Amino acid sequence: MEIRLLRDAEIDVAAAQHRESGKLIPGFDPTLHTLDETVTFYRKASDRGVFWGAFDEGKLLGHLVLEAGWIEHLYVDPGLQGQGIGRALLDYAKGQHADLQLYTFQSNRRARRFYEKAGFVVEDMTDGERNEEKQPDMRYRWIEKKDGS
């Protein structure tokens, strides 16, 4: 597996991956936006943040967006989850930043277990009023310990 910056043409693939992965999140409506709207959103996000992808023989397995100490998106192809791809992307992000934050929906128990196992701790829980989906979410934070973990 190779982790590298996404090329411009791969942003559309990442947007489609976002929509497919979103179908696995309880209570999340992936049809809130069309694929074209999601692609536009991802293209704007690429102007602010850095898109990293995990690839195998040119196929995008998963991706993350790092933006000033925040993980804005981390999605893995639904058929490939549980194979260490998300962990590899998360470890890459940890190697780039000693302090990371992210939001996830409270209903996304799989993601919550994933982040907590990786050392992230809950710093805030919201009622969802501030997010577009109106789903209760939570803010996680990870700070690198002096021993590098």
Side-chain angles (χ1 to χ4, degrees):
M1 177 173 29
E2 170 192 23
I3 295 180
R4 65 165 172 79
L5 288 170
L6 265 68
R7 297 182 182 111
D8 190 56
E10 295 163 338
I11 301 276
D12 296 8
V13 177
Q17 193 173 67
H18 171 120
R19 286 177 53 88
E20 287 303 307
S21 296
K23 292 177 182 177
L24 301 178
I25 301 170
F28 178 73
D29 179 8
T31 64
L32 184 62
H33 297 286
T34 66
L35 177 57
D36 286 342
E37 289 170 332
T38 304
V39 167
T40 299
F41 172 76
Y42 260 54
R43 292 213 166 270
K44 287 180 183 175
S46 71
D47 292 339
R48 296 186 320 269
V50 180
F51 272 78
W52 294 95
F55 291 86
D56 183 32
E57 297 183 9
K59 180 184 179 195
L60 180 64
L61 310 174
H63 67 278
L64 72 88
V65 179
L66 286 173
E67 187 177 328
W70 282 83
I71 295 175
E72 294 294 337
H73 304 284
L74 195 162
Y75 291 99
V76 173
D77 187 277
L80 302 173
Q81 291 184 2
Q83 297 181 28
I85 298 161
R87 183 59 194 233
L89 287 164
L90 192 59
D91 287 347
Y92 184 83
K94 286 178 167 183
Q96 303 301 305
H97 298 273
D99 185 349
L100 287 168
Q101 296 185 72
L102 60 89
Y103 278 96
T104 194
F105 295 120
Q106 291 180 30
S107 66
N108 195 348
R109 295 188 190 287
R110 186 175 185 168
R112 291 170 58 183
R113 283 190 305 273
F114 171 74
Y115 292 123
E116 289 167 13
K117 186 176 179 181
F120 282 76
V121 295
V122 177
E123 291 218 329
D124 188 28
M125 296 180 82
T126 78
D127 61 6
E129 191 58 36
R130 294 182 298 192
N131 65 51
E132 183 178 35
E133 297 83 1
K134 303 302 180 208
Q135 291 285 319
D137 61 12
M138 50 206 314
R139 181 173 51 87
Y140 279 94
R141 189 170 189 184
W142 171 84
I143 299 174
E144 183 176 31
K145 296 177 185 167
K146 293 188 188 264
D147 67 2
S149 61

mmCIF file of all heavy atoms in Angstrom, residues 68-111:
data_model
loop_
_atom_site.group_PDB
_atom_site.id
_atom_site.type_symbol
_atom_site.label_atom_id
_atom_site.label_comp_id
_atom_site.label_asym_id
_atom_site.label_seq_id
_atom_site.Cartn_x
_atom_site.Cartn_y
_atom_site.Cartn_z
ATOM 1 N N ALA A 68 -4.867 21.922 8.715
ATOM 2 C CA ALA A 68 -4.424 22.681 9.888
ATOM 3 C C ALA A 68 -4.706 21.954 11.211
ATOM 4 O O ALA A 68 -5.363 22.491 12.095
ATOM 5 C CB ALA A 68 -5.054 24.067 9.895
ATOM 6 N N GLY A 69 -4.209 20.733 11.333
ATOM 7 C CA GLY A 69 -4.369 19.978 12.573
ATOM 8 C C GLY A 69 -5.711 19.286 12.728
ATOM 9 O O GLY A 69 -6.024 18.755 13.792
ATOM 10 N N TRP A 70 -6.477 19.275 11.681
ATOM 11 C CA TRP A 70 -7.792 18.623 11.693
ATOM 12 C C TRP A 70 -7.849 17.535 10.630
ATOM 13 O O TRP A 70 -7.366 17.737 9.505
ATOM 14 C CB TRP A 70 -8.897 19.626 11.381
ATOM 15 C CG TRP A 70 -9.247 20.489 12.539
ATOM 16 C CD1 TRP A 70 -8.607 21.632 12.935
ATOM 17 C CD2 TRP A 70 -10.316 20.279 13.457
ATOM 18 N NE1 TRP A 70 -9.210 22.143 14.046
ATOM 19 C CE2 TRP A 70 -10.258 21.332 14.395
ATOM 20 C CE3 TRP A 70 -11.307 19.319 13.581
ATOM 21 C CZ2 TRP A 70 -11.168 21.449 15.437
ATOM 22 C CZ3 TRP A 70 -12.212 19.434 14.627
ATOM 23 C CH2 TRP A 70 -12.131 20.487 15.533
ATOM 24 N N ILE A 71 -8.443 16.431 10.979
ATOM 25 C CA ILE A 71 -8.806 15.428 9.983
ATOM 26 C C ILE A 71 -10.231 15.768 9.579
ATOM 27 O O ILE A 71 -11.165 15.625 10.373
ATOM 28 C CB ILE A 71 -8.703 13.996 10.549
ATOM 29 C CG1 ILE A 71 -7.247 13.681 10.884
ATOM 30 C CG2 ILE A 71 -9.288 12.995 9.553
ATOM 31 C CD1 ILE A 71 -7.046 12.336 11.553
ATOM 32 N N GLU A 72 -10.367 16.287 8.382
ATOM 33 C CA GLU A 72 -11.676 16.722 7.909
ATOM 34 C C GLU A 72 -12.480 15.563 7.330
ATOM 35 O O GLU A 72 -13.700 15.564 7.411
ATOM 36 C CB GLU A 72 -11.529 17.838 6.869
ATOM 37 C CG GLU A 72 -10.948 19.110 7.436
ATOM 38 C CD GLU A 72 -11.851 19.797 8.446
ATOM 39 O OE1 GLU A 72 -13.080 19.588 8.432
ATOM 40 O OE2 GLU A 72 -11.326 20.551 9.272
ATOM 41 N N HIS A 73 -11.811 14.609 6.742
ATOM 42 C CA HIS A 73 -12.473 13.430 6.174
ATOM 43 C C HIS A 73 -11.517 12.263 6.315
ATOM 44 O O HIS A 73 -10.311 12.416 6.119
ATOM 45 C CB HIS A 73 -12.795 13.617 4.685
ATOM 46 C CG HIS A 73 -13.606 14.817 4.389
ATOM 47 N ND1 HIS A 73 -14.951 14.882 4.632
ATOM 48 C CD2 HIS A 73 -13.256 16.023 3.886
ATOM 49 C CE1 HIS A 73 -15.402 16.066 4.288
ATOM 50 N NE2 HIS A 73 -14.390 16.783 3.839
ATOM 51 N N LEU A 74 -12.053 11.106 6.632
ATOM 52 C CA LEU A 74 -11.296 9.858 6.579
ATOM 53 C C LEU A 74 -12.296 8.775 6.209
ATOM 54 O O LEU A 74 -13.183 8.456 7.003
ATOM 55 C CB LEU A 74 -10.615 9.527 7.907
ATOM 56 C CG LEU A 74 -9.530 8.451 7.825
ATOM 57 C CD1 LEU A 74 -8.624 8.500 9.047
ATOM 58 C CD2 LEU A 74 -10.036 7.061 7.612
ATOM 59 N N TYR A 75 -12.177 8.287 5.001
ATOM 60 C CA TYR A 75 -13.089 7.273 4.494
ATOM 61 C C TYR A 75 -12.300 6.159 3.829
ATOM 62 O O TYR A 75 -11.303 6.408 3.152
ATOM 63 C CB TYR A 75 -14.074 7.866 3.469
ATOM 64 C CG TYR A 75 -15.064 8.806 4.093
ATOM 65 C CD1 TYR A 75 -14.875 10.184 4.042
ATOM 66 C CD2 TYR A 75 -16.195 8.313 4.747
ATOM 67 C CE1 TYR A 75 -15.787 11.045 4.626
ATOM 68 C CE2 TYR A 75 -17.111 9.173 5.335
ATOM 69 C CZ TYR A 75 -16.900 10.532 5.268
ATOM 70 O OH TYR A 75 -17.799 11.375 5.856
ATOM 71 N N VAL A 76 -12.784 4.945 4.017
ATOM 72 C CA VAL A 76 -12.205 3.760 3.390
ATOM 73 C C VAL A 76 -13.300 3.107 2.573
ATOM 74 O O VAL A 76 -14.466 3.057 2.996
ATOM 75 C CB VAL A 76 -11.651 2.783 4.453
ATOM 76 C CG1 VAL A 76 -11.193 1.481 3.822
ATOM 77 C CG2 VAL A 76 -10.506 3.433 5.225
ATOM 78 N N ASP A 77 -12.926 2.604 1.410
ATOM 79 C CA ASP A 77 -13.875 1.883 0.568
ATOM 80 C C ASP A 77 -14.625 0.860 1.419
ATOM 81 O O ASP A 77 -14.006 0.094 2.158
ATOM 82 C CB ASP A 77 -13.102 1.191 -0.561
ATOM 83 C CG ASP A 77 -14.020 0.569 -1.565
ATOM 84 O OD1 ASP A 77 -14.491 -0.566 -1.315
ATOM 85 O OD2 ASP A 77 -14.278 1.201 -2.597
ATOM 86 N N PRO A 78 -15.968 0.855 1.371
ATOM 87 C CA PRO A 78 -16.738 -0.022 2.254
ATOM 88 C C PRO A 78 -16.338 -1.495 2.198
ATOM 89 O O PRO A 78 -16.308 -2.173 3.223
ATOM 90 C CB PRO A 78 -18.183 0.163 1.782
ATOM 91 C CG PRO A 78 -18.201 1.522 1.191
ATOM 92 C CD PRO A 78 -16.843 1.699 0.557
ATOM 93 N N GLY A 79 -15.991 -2.000 1.041
ATOM 94 C CA GLY A 79 -15.616 -3.400 0.911
ATOM 95 C C GLY A 79 -14.234 -3.719 1.450
ATOM 96 O O GLY A 79 -13.856 -4.896 1.536
ATOM 97 N N LEU A 80 -13.486 -2.699 1.829
ATOM 98 C CA LEU A 80 -12.113 -2.895 2.296
ATOM 99 C C LEU A 80 -11.918 -2.507 3.749
ATOM 100 O O LEU A 80 -10.794 -2.556 4.256
ATOM 101 C CB LEU A 80 -11.151 -2.083 1.415
ATOM 102 C CG LEU A 80 -11.188 -2.412 -0.073
ATOM 103 C CD1 LEU A 80 -10.329 -1.429 -0.855
ATOM 104 C CD2 LEU A 80 -10.738 -3.838 -0.313
ATOM 105 N N GLN A 81 -12.992 -2.126 4.423
ATOM 106 C CA GLN A 81 -12.855 -1.710 5.822
ATOM 107 C C GLN A 81 -12.432 -2.892 6.687
ATOM 108 O O GLN A 81 -12.738 -4.039 6.399
ATOM 109 C CB GLN A 81 -14.161 -1.101 6.317
ATOM 110 C CG GLN A 81 -14.429 0.224 5.638
ATOM 111 C CD GLN A 81 -15.664 0.931 6.143
ATOM 112 O OE1 GLN A 81 -16.338 0.476 7.044
ATOM 113 N NE2 GLN A 81 -15.957 2.073 5.543
ATOM 114 N N GLY A 82 -11.678 -2.577 7.733
ATOM 115 C CA GLY A 82 -11.206 -3.607 8.658
ATOM 116 C C GLY A 82 -9.914 -4.269 8.224
ATOM 117 O O GLY A 82 -9.476 -5.243 8.832
ATOM 118 N N GLN A 83 -9.260 -3.720 7.190
ATOM 119 C CA GLN A 83 -8.027 -4.317 6.674
ATOM 120 C C GLN A 83 -6.782 -3.471 6.970
ATOM 121 O O GLN A 83 -5.724 -3.710 6.412
ATOM 122 C CB GLN A 83 -8.149 -4.554 5.164
ATOM 123 C CG GLN A 83 -9.245 -5.534 4.816
ATOM 124 C CD GLN A 83 -9.344 -5.780 3.331
ATOM 125 O OE1 GLN A 83 -8.359 -5.660 2.592
ATOM 126 N NE2 GLN A 83 -10.528 -6.125 2.861
ATOM 127 N N GLY A 84 -6.924 -2.454 7.827
ATOM 128 C CA GLY A 84 -5.778 -1.644 8.214
ATOM 129 C C GLY A 84 -5.547 -0.405 7.365
ATOM 130 O O GLY A 84 -4.591 0.336 7.603
ATOM 131 N N ILE A 85 -6.402 -0.162 6.401
ATOM 132 C CA ILE A 85 -6.232 0.996 5.514
ATOM 133 C C ILE A 85 -6.479 2.292 6.273
ATOM 134 O O ILE A 85 -5.681 3.228 6.206
ATOM 135 C CB ILE A 85 -7.164 0.879 4.295
ATOM 136 C CG1 ILE A 85 -6.797 -0.374 3.488
ATOM 137 C CG2 ILE A 85 -7.100 2.139 3.434
ATOM 138 C CD1 ILE A 85 -7.877 -0.850 2.553
ATOM 139 N N GLY A 86 -7.573 2.343 7.011
ATOM 140 C CA GLY A 86 -7.868 3.529 7.808
ATOM 141 C C GLY A 86 -6.790 3.789 8.834
ATOM 142 O O GLY A 86 -6.384 4.935 9.055
ATOM 143 N N ARG A 87 -6.301 2.731 9.460
ATOM 144 C CA ARG A 87 -5.237 2.883 10.464
ATOM 145 C C ARG A 87 -3.960 3.420 9.812
ATOM 146 O O ARG A 87 -3.283 4.276 10.387
ATOM 147 C CB ARG A 87 -4.984 1.540 11.157
ATOM 148 C CG ARG A 87 -3.942 1.617 12.260
ATOM 149 C CD ARG A 87 -4.395 2.620 13.326
ATOM 150 N NE ARG A 87 -3.323 2.961 14.218
ATOM 151 C CZ ARG A 87 -3.397 2.870 15.533
ATOM 152 N NH1 ARG A 87 -4.501 2.452 16.109
ATOM 153 N NH2 ARG A 87 -2.381 3.218 16.278
ATOM 154 N N ALA A 88 -3.632 2.944 8.628
ATOM 155 C CA ALA A 88 -2.445 3.445 7.927
ATOM 156 C C ALA A 88 -2.588 4.933 7.612
ATOM 157 O O ALA A 88 -1.641 5.709 7.789
ATOM 158 C CB ALA A 88 -2.211 2.642 6.649
ATOM 159 N N LEU A 89 -3.775 5.340 7.178
ATOM 160 C CA LEU A 89 -4.010 6.759 6.906
ATOM 161 C C LEU A 89 -3.947 7.581 8.190
ATOM 162 O O LEU A 89 -3.343 8.660 8.217
ATOM 163 C CB LEU A 89 -5.365 6.951 6.217
ATOM 164 C CG LEU A 89 -5.428 6.516 4.759
ATOM 165 C CD1 LEU A 89 -6.874 6.374 4.302
ATOM 166 C CD2 LEU A 89 -4.662 7.484 3.869
ATOM 167 N N LEU A 90 -4.532 7.058 9.244
ATOM 168 C CA LEU A 90 -4.516 7.763 10.526
ATOM 169 C C LEU A 90 -3.094 7.878 11.066
ATOM 170 O O LEU A 90 -2.684 8.941 11.548
ATOM 171 C CB LEU A 90 -5.414 7.045 11.522
ATOM 172 C CG LEU A 90 -5.738 7.793 12.799
ATOM 173 C CD1 LEU A 90 -6.434 9.113 12.518
ATOM 174 C CD2 LEU A 90 -6.615 6.925 13.690
ATOM 175 N N ASP A 91 -2.329 6.806 10.962
ATOM 176 C CA ASP A 91 -0.936 6.849 11.406
ATOM 177 C C ASP A 91 -0.132 7.853 10.585
ATOM 178 O O ASP A 91 0.735 8.557 11.111
ATOM 179 C CB ASP A 91 -0.291 5.463 11.328
ATOM 180 C CG ASP A 91 -0.783 4.524 12.417
ATOM 181 O OD1 ASP A 91 -1.425 4.988 13.384
ATOM 182 O OD2 ASP A 91 -0.532 3.305 12.288
ATOM 183 N N TYR A 92 -0.442 7.933 9.292
ATOM 184 C CA TYR A 92 0.228 8.923 8.457
ATOM 185 C C TYR A 92 -0.080 10.330 8.962
ATOM 186 O O TYR A 92 0.817 11.166 9.105
ATOM 187 C CB TYR A 92 -0.191 8.780 6.985
ATOM 188 C CG TYR A 92 0.577 9.726 6.118
ATOM 189 C CD1 TYR A 92 1.843 9.400 5.661
ATOM 190 C CD2 TYR A 92 0.063 10.979 5.811
ATOM 191 C CE1 TYR A 92 2.574 10.296 4.896
ATOM 192 C CE2 TYR A 92 0.790 11.877 5.063
ATOM 193 C CZ TYR A 92 2.046 11.528 4.609
ATOM 194 O OH TYR A 92 2.771 12.428 3.876
ATOM 195 N N ALA A 93 -1.352 10.588 9.257
ATOM 196 C CA ALA A 93 -1.748 11.908 9.767
ATOM 197 C C ALA A 93 -1.039 12.212 11.078
ATOM 198 O O ALA A 93 -0.570 13.334 11.298
ATOM 199 C CB ALA A 93 -3.273 11.967 9.952
ATOM 200 N N LYS A 94 -0.937 11.220 11.947
ATOM 201 C CA LYS A 94 -0.245 11.407 13.228
ATOM 202 C C LYS A 94 1.230 11.731 13.008
ATOM 203 O O LYS A 94 1.828 12.472 13.791
ATOM 204 C CB LYS A 94 -0.368 10.153 14.096
ATOM 205 C CG LYS A 94 -1.739 9.963 14.701
ATOM 206 C CD LYS A 94 -1.743 8.649 15.491
ATOM 207 C CE LYS A 94 -2.921 8.489 16.371
ATOM 208 N NZ LYS A 94 -2.848 7.243 17.171
ATOM 209 N N GLY A 95 1.807 11.200 11.958
ATOM 210 C CA GLY A 95 3.196 11.499 11.639
ATOM 211 C C GLY A 95 3.402 12.912 11.126
ATOM 212 O O GLY A 95 4.512 13.442 11.157
ATOM 213 N N GLN A 96 2.328 13.538 10.663
ATOM 214 C CA GLN A 96 2.398 14.900 10.127
ATOM 215 C C GLN A 96 2.074 15.965 11.174
ATOM 216 O O GLN A 96 2.503 17.107 11.047
ATOM 217 C CB GLN A 96 1.419 15.050 8.952
ATOM 218 C CG GLN A 96 1.628 14.074 7.826
ATOM 219 C CD GLN A 96 3.008 14.184 7.227
ATOM 220 O OE1 GLN A 96 3.429 15.249 6.802
ATOM 221 N NE2 GLN A 96 3.733 13.077 7.221
ATOM 222 N N HIS A 97 1.281 15.588 12.179
ATOM 223 C CA HIS A 97 0.814 16.542 13.186
ATOM 224 C C HIS A 97 0.886 15.915 14.567
ATOM 225 O O HIS A 97 0.461 14.771 14.751
ATOM 226 C CB HIS A 97 -0.642 16.953 12.914
ATOM 227 C CG HIS A 97 -0.848 17.636 11.604
ATOM 228 N ND1 HIS A 97 -0.693 18.981 11.443
ATOM 229 C CD2 HIS A 97 -1.184 17.143 10.390
ATOM 230 C CE1 HIS A 97 -0.930 19.298 10.179
ATOM 231 N NE2 HIS A 97 -1.230 18.200 9.520
ATOM 232 N N ALA A 98 1.369 16.647 15.537
ATOM 233 C CA ALA A 98 1.456 16.156 16.920
ATOM 234 C C ALA A 98 0.153 16.391 17.686
ATOM 235 O O ALA A 98 0.004 15.930 18.812
ATOM 236 C CB ALA A 98 2.612 16.832 17.651
ATOM 237 N N ASP A 99 -0.779 17.094 17.082
ATOM 238 C CA ASP A 99 -2.055 17.415 17.713
ATOM 239 C C ASP A 99 -3.111 17.372 16.611
ATOM 240 O O ASP A 99 -3.058 18.153 15.659
ATOM 241 C CB ASP A 99 -1.965 18.799 18.354
ATOM 242 C CG ASP A 99 -3.206 19.199 19.145
ATOM 243 O OD1 ASP A 99 -4.243 18.529 19.056
ATOM 244 O OD2 ASP A 99 -3.111 20.219 19.859
ATOM 245 N N LEU A 100 -4.055 16.442 16.723
ATOM 246 C CA LEU A 100 -5.087 16.283 15.704
ATOM 247 C C LEU A 100 -6.474 16.292 16.341
ATOM 248 O O LEU A 100 -6.655 15.779 17.446
ATOM 249 C CB LEU A 100 -4.921 14.948 14.974
ATOM 250 C CG LEU A 100 -3.773 14.826 13.997
ATOM 251 C CD1 LEU A 100 -3.574 13.370 13.590
ATOM 252 C CD2 LEU A 100 -4.020 15.688 12.768
ATOM 253 N N GLN A 101 -7.419 16.849 15.605
ATOM 254 C CA GLN A 101 -8.814 16.836 16.039
ATOM 255 C C GLN A 101 -9.679 16.383 14.864
ATOM 256 O O GLN A 101 -9.279 16.488 13.699
ATOM 257 C CB GLN A 101 -9.252 18.228 16.491
ATOM 258 C CG GLN A 101 -8.487 18.712 17.713
ATOM 259 C CD GLN A 101 -9.009 20.030 18.203
ATOM 260 O OE1 GLN A 101 -10.103 20.095 18.767
ATOM 261 N NE2 GLN A 101 -8.239 21.088 17.983
ATOM 262 N N LEU A 102 -10.860 15.910 15.200
ATOM 263 C CA LEU A 102 -11.812 15.495 14.178
ATOM 264 C C LEU A 102 -13.202 15.403 14.792
ATOM 265 O O LEU A 102 -13.337 15.347 16.010
ATOM 266 C CB LEU A 102 -11.428 14.145 13.562
ATOM 267 C CG LEU A 102 -11.352 12.948 14.505
ATOM 268 C CD1 LEU A 102 -12.677 12.238 14.647
ATOM 269 C CD2 LEU A 102 -10.299 11.977 14.013
ATOM 270 N N TYR A 103 -14.181 15.414 13.950
ATOM 271 C CA TYR A 103 -15.563 15.180 14.367
ATOM 272 C C TYR A 103 -16.034 13.869 13.762
ATOM 273 O O TYR A 103 -15.642 13.502 12.649
ATOM 274 C CB TYR A 103 -16.501 16.285 13.859
ATOM 275 C CG TYR A 103 -16.509 17.526 14.702
ATOM 276 C CD1 TYR A 103 -15.716 18.617 14.378
ATOM 277 C CD2 TYR A 103 -17.326 17.613 15.824
ATOM 278 C CE1 TYR A 103 -15.726 19.765 15.150
ATOM 279 C CE2 TYR A 103 -17.343 18.756 16.608
ATOM 280 C CZ TYR A 103 -16.545 19.826 16.264
ATOM 281 O OH TYR A 103 -16.557 20.965 17.032
ATOM 282 N N THR A 104 -16.895 13.172 14.479
ATOM 283 C CA THR A 104 -17.614 12.035 13.935
ATOM 284 C C THR A 104 -19.012 12.030 14.541
ATOM 285 O O THR A 104 -19.229 12.601 15.605
ATOM 286 C CB THR A 104 -16.877 10.698 14.180
ATOM 287 O OG1 THR A 104 -17.448 9.684 13.347
ATOM 288 C CG2 THR A 104 -16.940 10.263 15.630
ATOM 289 N N PHE A 105 -19.945 11.418 13.839
ATOM 290 C CA PHE A 105 -21.304 11.350 14.359
ATOM 291 C C PHE A 105 -21.361 10.400 15.549
ATOM 292 O O PHE A 105 -20.708 9.357 15.564
ATOM 293 C CB PHE A 105 -22.275 10.873 13.280
ATOM 294 C CG PHE A 105 -22.409 11.833 12.138
ATOM 295 C CD1 PHE A 105 -22.095 11.445 10.855
ATOM 296 C CD2 PHE A 105 -22.862 13.125 12.349
ATOM 297 C CE1 PHE A 105 -22.217 12.326 9.795
ATOM 298 C CE2 PHE A 105 -22.994 14.014 11.304
ATOM 299 C CZ PHE A 105 -22.666 13.614 10.017
ATOM 300 N N GLN A 106 -22.149 10.756 16.538
ATOM 301 C CA GLN A 106 -22.301 9.893 17.705
ATOM 302 C C GLN A 106 -22.844 8.520 17.311
ATOM 303 O O GLN A 106 -22.494 7.512 17.921
ATOM 304 C CB GLN A 106 -23.221 10.547 18.737
ATOM 305 C CG GLN A 106 -22.600 11.767 19.396
ATOM 306 C CD GLN A 106 -23.519 12.402 20.420
ATOM 307 O OE1 GLN A 106 -24.334 11.724 21.044
ATOM 308 N NE2 GLN A 106 -23.391 13.709 20.603
ATOM 309 N N SER A 107 -23.649 8.465 16.284
ATOM 310 C CA SER A 107 -24.235 7.197 15.842
ATOM 311 C C SER A 107 -23.220 6.271 15.163
ATOM 312 O O SER A 107 -23.476 5.079 15.014
ATOM 313 C CB SER A 107 -25.393 7.457 14.870
ATOM 314 O OG SER A 107 -24.907 8.043 13.672
ATOM 315 N N ASN A 108 -22.076 6.814 14.784
ATOM 316 C CA ASN A 108 -21.075 6.036 14.055
ATOM 317 C C ASN A 108 -20.167 5.286 15.043
ATOM 318 O O ASN A 108 -19.008 5.623 15.245
ATOM 319 C CB ASN A 108 -20.261 6.950 13.133
ATOM 320 C CG ASN A 108 -19.470 6.178 12.111
ATOM 321 O OD1 ASN A 108 -19.327 4.965 12.189
ATOM 322 N ND2 ASN A 108 -18.927 6.911 11.150
ATOM 323 N N ARG A 109 -20.726 4.272 15.652
ATOM 324 C CA ARG A 109 -20.011 3.522 16.697
ATOM 325 C C ARG A 109 -18.738 2.864 16.180
ATOM 326 O O ARG A 109 -17.753 2.790 16.902
ATOM 327 C CB ARG A 109 -20.933 2.487 17.321
ATOM 328 C CG ARG A 109 -22.088 3.116 18.061
ATOM 329 C CD ARG A 109 -22.886 2.087 18.839
ATOM 330 N NE ARG A 109 -24.128 2.615 19.360
ATOM 331 C CZ ARG A 109 -24.227 3.457 20.379
ATOM 332 N NH1 ARG A 109 -23.168 3.904 20.967
ATOM 333 N NH2 ARG A 109 -25.408 3.879 20.785
ATOM 334 N N ARG A 110 -18.755 2.435 14.951
ATOM 335 C CA ARG A 110 -17.549 1.810 14.385
ATOM 336 C C ARG A 110 -16.401 2.816 14.330
ATOM 337 O O ARG A 110 -15.280 2.514 14.712
ATOM 338 C CB ARG A 110 -17.859 1.253 13.001
ATOM 339 C CG ARG A 110 -16.729 0.478 12.407
ATOM 340 C CD ARG A 110 -17.131 -0.158 11.102
ATOM 341 N NE ARG A 110 -16.047 -0.998 10.623
ATOM 342 C CZ ARG A 110 -16.160 -1.842 9.647
ATOM 343 N NH1 ARG A 110 -17.311 -2.004 9.042
ATOM 344 N NH2 ARG A 110 -15.121 -2.540 9.261
ATOM 345 N N ALA A 111 -16.684 4.023 13.868
ATOM 346 C CA ALA A 111 -15.651 5.063 13.809
ATOM 347 C C ALA A 111 -15.204 5.446 15.216
ATOM 348 O O ALA A 111 -14.015 5.644 15.461
ATOM 349 C CB ALA A 111 -16.171 6.289 13.068
#
